[in-house]
């Protein structure tokens, strides 16, 4: 692993954004990844555990860390985990997940929903 | 909440796009209504899938469907015309009745090629074609010539789309190949294996005219092989693939000769649901098949196998301990399946997860159990215990639960004797049954299981 990049990351983020939790999750990742790289089923289970135990904002931190460290496999993995978490969920659920608020003009949102009506079929209610 | 907003604001559009790229296209489109910031990001996704099933309702008249299909193609064409990004990773088009859209389909395919696509999928099969009979449907579209020049293609899926065997050999970089509803020859499959040294995954669905199936070759690096309801001239399946990890087979019983390697082979899914003619000796053949797949850790079996596996020379268990950790049974929890279930539990002393996929299955009236059994006491017989239930089984899932006496007694056994059981997850069936059975009734019955005595102090039972 790129130790100098890692050290730099922790020095940079010294204010408060890096917690021990992140370090212990991201750093061992290369080894775990290498071990289970070939094993889709185990990665699936790891992903389920991650989703169960880790809050959305922690997941974001992991994504940002993986991005900064230029660790493509981890980045793809965490992004895919987020994608799976929001799949087939209602717009409200996804907004809550990302902490978004609708900033559309009144009527703009309805227009969009109508334009893409076909994509809204078969969605989970919360 | 505020914490959420702070954190996610830090996600650049580049990162949001990566997340969106993992969503199915239909979901990616939906992200446009989340907020102004998200409105247009989805358009840059490098995974583009156009599936007519989001637009076409197959219960409508043919005229209505044709008109919906036209609307779908217009949407696809408009999207590709307005695409702003440079390269794309994956392009998939699913459209039945392609004969009316030749020009438009050509435009879509050219778009994909000029944007350097790595994975191309064309599915022109018709959802109304039955999968479980022997009808073959001639393909109505030919892969355009300009595709054969795109030699960097890594993944290709062709369903009911003809192609030229010799030109197909241009694609030497292929890692994933999936064919469906096509006439194929064994010599083509052999040539493909030799021609694509990077080939990792091969899937054949509803293909016909193959003499038999033979997957072998020096330097074959194949990791995954799927044969789904193909019709073979002679029922013979020969596989020599040292790197094979995943094998899935659906179809009639065949003569299997499988050579794999213990450090790679992980998972098998065997479905003989279409079989209706069990022959003398089929039990032994099923045993031999499982024997050849000896290192697997994950196994999915069908009701046919549960009924006939123990009818061979070995009625009790495999001759060695299998390494299976996750076992999925496609079952109707019918007494004729019990001895087969017992056989697999006996053979899997390290089993950690058992999934019951409950549904209607073909039960053979002529079935005769190899030993005398009392089916109604089968799972509650105190003398019969399973090592895996006592020592390793952690999770039991039952999907499609209807609260029959047999379902209850099987699950009761797990709850009462499962010392290390952590979870039992019940999902009730949504079907209405005879005898006034419905979702609520099934849930009532499932709730009764909460009162069963539990061997495991940490057991959580969930009912959905």
């Amino acid at each position: 692993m790129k130790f100098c990049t890692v050290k730099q990351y922790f020095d940079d983020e010294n204010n408060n954004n890096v917690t021990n939790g992140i370090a212990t999750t991201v750093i061992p990742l290369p080894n775990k990844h290498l071990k289970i790289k070939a094993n889709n089923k185990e990665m699936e289970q790891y992903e389920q555990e991650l989703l169960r135990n880790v809050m959305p904002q922690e997941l974001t931190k992991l994504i940002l860390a993986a991005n900064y460290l230029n660790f493509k496999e981890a980045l793809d993995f965490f992004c895919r985990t987020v994608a799976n978490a929001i799949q087939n969920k209602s717009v409200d659920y996804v907004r809550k997940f990302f902490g978004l608020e609708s900033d559309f003009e009144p009527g703009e949102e309805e227009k969009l929903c109508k334009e893409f009506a076909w994509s809204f079929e078969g969605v989970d209610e919360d | 909440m505020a914490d959420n907003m702070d954190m996610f604001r830090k996600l650049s559009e580049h990162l949001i796009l990566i997340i969106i790229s993992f969503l199915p296209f239909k979901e990616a489109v939906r992200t446009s209504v989340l907020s102004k910031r998200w409105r247009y990001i989805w358009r840059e996704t490098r995974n583009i899938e156009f599936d007519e099933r989001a637009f076409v309702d197959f219960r409508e008249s043919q005229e209505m469907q044709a008109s919906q299909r036209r609307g779908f193609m217009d949407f696809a064409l408009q999207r590709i015309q307005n695409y702003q990004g440079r390269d794309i990773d994956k392009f998939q088009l699913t459209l039945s009745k392609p004969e009316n859209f030749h020009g438009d389909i050509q435009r879509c395919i050219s778009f994909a090629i000029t944007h350097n696509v790595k994975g191309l999928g064309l599915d022109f099969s018709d959802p109304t074609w039955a999968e479980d009979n022997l009808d073959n449907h001639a393909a109505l579209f030919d892969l355009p010539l300009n595709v054969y020049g795109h030699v960097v293609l890594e993944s290709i899926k062709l369903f009911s789309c003809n192609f030229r065997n010799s030109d197909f050999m241009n694609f030497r970089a292929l890692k994933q190949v999936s064919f469906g509803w096509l006439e194929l020859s064994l010599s083509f499959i052999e040539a493909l294996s030799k021609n694509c040294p990077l080939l990792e995954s091969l899937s054949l669905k509803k293909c016909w005219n193959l003499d038999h199936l033979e997957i072998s070759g020096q330097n074959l690096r194949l990791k995954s092989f799927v044969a789904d309801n193909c019709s073979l001239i002679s029922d013979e399946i020969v596989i020599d693939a040292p790197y094979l990890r995943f094998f899935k087979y659906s179809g009639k019983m065949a003569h299997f000769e499988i050579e794999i390697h213990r450090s790679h082979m992980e998972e098998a899914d065997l479905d003989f649901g279409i079989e209706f003619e069990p022959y003398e000796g089929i039990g032994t053949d099923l045993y031999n098949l499982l024997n050849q797949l000896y290192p697997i850790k994950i196994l999915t079996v069908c009701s046919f196998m549960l009924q006939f596996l123990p009818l061979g020379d070995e009625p009790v268990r495999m001759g060695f301990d299998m390494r299976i950790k996750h076992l999925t049974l496609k079952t109707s929890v019918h007494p004729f399946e019990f001895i087969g279930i017992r056989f697999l539990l006996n053979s899997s002393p390290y089993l950690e997860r058992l999934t019951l996929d409950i549904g209607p299955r073909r039960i053979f009236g002529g079935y005769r159990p190899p030993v005398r059994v009392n089916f109604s006491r089968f799972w509650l017989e105190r003398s019969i215990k399973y090592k895996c239930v006592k020592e390793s089984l952690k999770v039991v899932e039952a999907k499609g639960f209807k609260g029959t006496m047999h379902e209850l007694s099987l699950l009761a056994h797990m709850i009462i004797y499962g010392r290390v059981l952590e979870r039992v997850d019940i999902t009730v069936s949504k079907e209405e049954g005879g005898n006034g059975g419905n979702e609520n009734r099934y849930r009532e019955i499932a709730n009764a299981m909460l009162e069963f005595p539990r061997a495991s102090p940490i057991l959580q039972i969930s009912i959905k």
Side-chain angles (χ1 to χ4, degrees):
Chain A
M1 261 294 290
K2 308 159 198 167
F3 289 114
C4 45
T5 327
V6 172
K7 185 173 184 303
Q8 207 176 344
Y9 179 68
F10 287 118
D11 288 342
D12 282 354
E13 298 284 338
N14 224 355
N15 30 20
N16 59 7
N17 282 338
V18 173
T19 61
N20 273 335
I22 303 304
T24 48
T25 315
V26 175
I27 303 309
L29 198 62
N31 293 330
K32 196 177 177 83
H33 187 90
L34 284 170
K35 240 196 326 190
I36 43 182
K37 190 159 98 145
N39 194 333
N40 284 330
K41 257 334 198 256
E42 278 189 44
M43 283 309 260
E44 247 176 67
Q45 285 181 16
Y46 178 59
E47 180 181 313
Q48 301 244 12
E49 273 175 49
L50 207 63
L51 276 182
R52 251 200 285 262
N53 301 331
V54 159
M55 300 304 301
Q57 57 264 45
E58 298 291 303
L59 214 37
T60 322
K61 286 188 192 170
L62 287 169
I63 291 177
L64 290 168
N67 186 42
Y68 188 95
L69 296 169
N70 226 345
F71 190 178
K72 185 174 191 302
E73 283 95 349
L75 181 60
D76 280 351
F77 176 73
F78 293 129
C79 287
R80 188 184 291 123
T81 306
V82 172
N84 286 339
I86 62 175
Q87 216 176 103
N88 225 29
K89 295 287 193 272
S90 67
V91 172
D92 282 332
Y93 182 97
V94 181
R95 280 210 185 112
K96 246 199 315 212
F97 187 93
F98 288 111
L100 293 170
E101 272 173 12
S102 170
D103 49 356
F104 287 117
E105 315 298 324
E108 219 183 323
E109 193 180 321
E110 277 90 64
K111 234 181 45 178
L112 269 179
C113 285
K114 234 175 123 198
E115 189 182 340
F116 297 121
W118 59 271
S119 70
F120 282 89
E121 320 227 322
V123 174
D124 254 357
E125 285 318 313
D126 250 340
Chain B
M1 254 323 258
D3 205 18
N4 257 5
M5 290 173 72
D6 272 346
M7 235 30 252
F8 279 105
R9 212 155 271 173
K10 290 196 171 188
L11 277 181
S12 62
E13 289 183 1
H14 157 72
L15 292 174
I16 292 179
L17 183 59
I18 298 184
I19 295 175
I20 290 181
S21 296
F22 285 114
L23 290 171
F25 188 68
K26 187 168 149 176
E27 311 242 358
V29 170
R30 274 215 294 275
T31 62
S32 60
V33 311
L34 287 175
S35 79
K36 277 195 164 142
R37 191 163 176 238
W38 285 68
R39 171 130 188 226
Y40 295 115
I41 300 184
W42 70 276
R43 288 183 172 187
E44 308 300 305
T45 178
R46 292 163 65 111
N47 287 338
I48 302 183
E49 290 159 42
F50 296 120
D51 189 338
E52 69 164 5
R53 283 166 297 183
F55 287 72
V56 176
D57 187 343
F58 289 91
R59 296 164 302 185
E60 295 277 0
S61 68
Q62 291 297 328
E63 290 79 32
M64 178 57 112
Q65 286 183 40
S67 148
Q68 289 168 337
R69 196 165 283 120
R70 177 75 260 161
F72 161 68
M73 276 315 281
D74 288 341
F75 168 77
L77 290 170
Q78 186 231 33
R79 287 277 60 240
I80 66 181
Q81 257 157 28
N82 294 329
Y83 185 75
Q84 304 278 16
R86 280 192 5 232
D87 288 352
I88 59 176
D89 291 330
K90 185 164 137 203
F91 182 86
Q92 177 142 315
L93 177 63
T94 303
L95 170 81
S96 60
K97 315 235 183 311
E99 59 271 26
N100 302 326
F101 296 97
H102 272 232
D104 295 333
I105 298 175
Q106 297 266 24
R107 304 232 301 271
C108 288
I109 296 176
S110 299
F111 163 82
I113 303 292
T114 51
H115 285 79
N116 221 13
V117 73
K118 295 256 181 43
L120 179 65
L122 300 170
D123 183 345
F124 301 127
S125 65
D126 192 323
T128 62
W129 294 345
E131 298 205 6
D132 57 357
N133 64 22
L134 303 167
D135 287 347
N136 300 321
H137 298 267
L140 294 168
F141 191 87
D142 295 327
L143 192 64
L145 294 175
N146 60 341
V147 180
Y148 298 110
H150 191 55
V151 299
V152 296
L153 208 54
E154 287 179 12
S155 147
I156 190 163
K157 169 181 171 174
L158 297 176
F159 274 31
S160 195
C161 176
N162 286 326
F163 61 91
R164 291 151 72 135
N165 285 5
S166 48
D167 289 333
F168 197 90
M169 297 304 156
N170 289 357
F171 302 129
R172 322 199 82 232
L174 284 175
K175 290 190 185 151
Q176 282 131 18
V177 174
S178 171
F179 292 125
W181 302 96
L182 287 171
E183 181 179 337
L184 294 176
S185 71
L186 183 62
S187 54
F188 170 75
I189 300 291
E190 286 173 348
L192 183 67
S193 310
K194 286 200 188 70
N195 187 65
C196 301
L198 302 174
L199 191 63
E200 286 181 0
S201 147
L202 177 62
S203 167
L204 307 174
K205 173 178 169 152
K206 283 302 289 183
C207 293
W208 67 87
N209 217 35
L210 289 151
D211 180 72
H212 62 277
L213 274 179
E214 182 153 347
I215 309 293
S216 63
Q218 248 186 1
N219 303 321
L220 185 67
R221 303 202 65 92
L222 199 65
K223 293 185 187 160
S224 159
F225 177 54
V226 173
D228 184 351
N229 273 318
C230 292
S231 75
L232 307 173
I233 298 175
S234 78
D235 288 316
E236 210 183 305
I237 319 267
V238 177
I239 300 176
D240 184 354
Y243 291 97
L244 198 67
R245 256 195 247 140
F246 176 75
F247 175 52
K248 180 169 149 90
Y249 179 82
S250 299
K252 299 186 57 134
M253 187 56 185
H255 175 76
F256 289 92
E257 255 175 55
I258 303 181
E259 292 271 344
I260 39 80
H261 197 280
R262 70 147 52 89
S263 47
H264 292 113
M265 190 61 194
E266 286 268 325
E267 180 175 353
D269 181 333
L270 306 169
D271 189 335
F272 302 105
I274 203 177
E275 188 59 83
F276 52 89
E277 278 182 289
Y279 52 86
E280 181 93 29
I282 197 167
T284 305
D285 286 349
L286 287 169
Y287 181 99
N288 288 336
L289 171 57
L290 214 47
N291 207 22
Q292 290 175 66
L293 296 169
Y294 67 93
I296 51 179
K297 299 205 179 97
I298 303 173
L299 174 65
T300 302
V301 293
C302 62
S303 175
F304 183 88
M305 221 165 149
L306 293 176
Q307 292 175 63
F308 292 100
L309 176 58
L311 295 190
D313 297 329
E314 276 305 325
V316 178
R317 50 163 291 156
M318 296 299 288
F320 59 94
D321 286 343
M322 294 196 83
R323 299 184 194 173
I324 300 173
K325 292 222 170 119
H326 182 187
L327 178 63
T328 299
L329 308 174
K330 285 161 43 184
T331 173
S332 56
V333 198
H334 185 284
F336 291 178
E337 298 167 334
F338 286 178
I339 299 194
I341 301 179
R342 174 181 288 179
F343 184 106
L344 290 172
L345 290 175
N346 282 337
S347 311
S348 314
Y350 310 113
L351 189 66
E352 291 179 10
R353 190 161 154 191
L354 176 67
T355 302
L356 304 172
D357 183 349
I358 304 174
R361 314 283 171 197
R362 183 177 287 142
I363 302 292
F364 290 79
Y367 174 85
R368 294 284 170 268
V371 290
R372 284 188 60 180
V373 263
N374 181 337
F375 285 129
S376 52
R377 293 219 36 92
F378 195 92
W379 296 108
L380 301 172
E381 211 58 77
R382 249 189 284 223
S383 52
I384 309 254
K385 303 267 183 60
Y386 304 96
K387 180 164 185 243
C388 61
V389 172
K390 276 199 303 187
E391 295 178 18
S392 58
L393 191 62
K394 298 204 178 100
V395 177
V396 173
E397 297 168 304
K399 302 178 185 167
F401 178 82
K402 280 190 170 158
T404 66
M405 182 184 80
H406 296 304
E407 288 170 25
L408 279 173
S409 62
L410 173 53
L411 290 167
H413 181 100
M414 303 300 157
I415 295 173
I416 295 171
Y417 296 114
R419 277 203 220 134
V420 296
L421 206 50
E422 291 172 13
R423 272 172 34 221
V424 169
D425 295 332
I426 315 281
T427 307
V428 300
S429 167
K430 295 203 163 32
E431 280 171 32
E432 308 256 321
N435 304 341
N438 64 38
E439 223 180 303
N440 293 325
R441 180 86 191 103
Y442 307 144
R443 205 170 278 123
E444 253 176 63
I445 302 178
N447 276 320
M449 291 197 295
L450 297 168
E451 308 303 317
F452 290 170
R454 305 174 182 197
S456 163
I458 57 172
L459 173 59
Q460 306 256 34
I461 302 181
S462 83
I463 299 171
K464 279 199 280 238

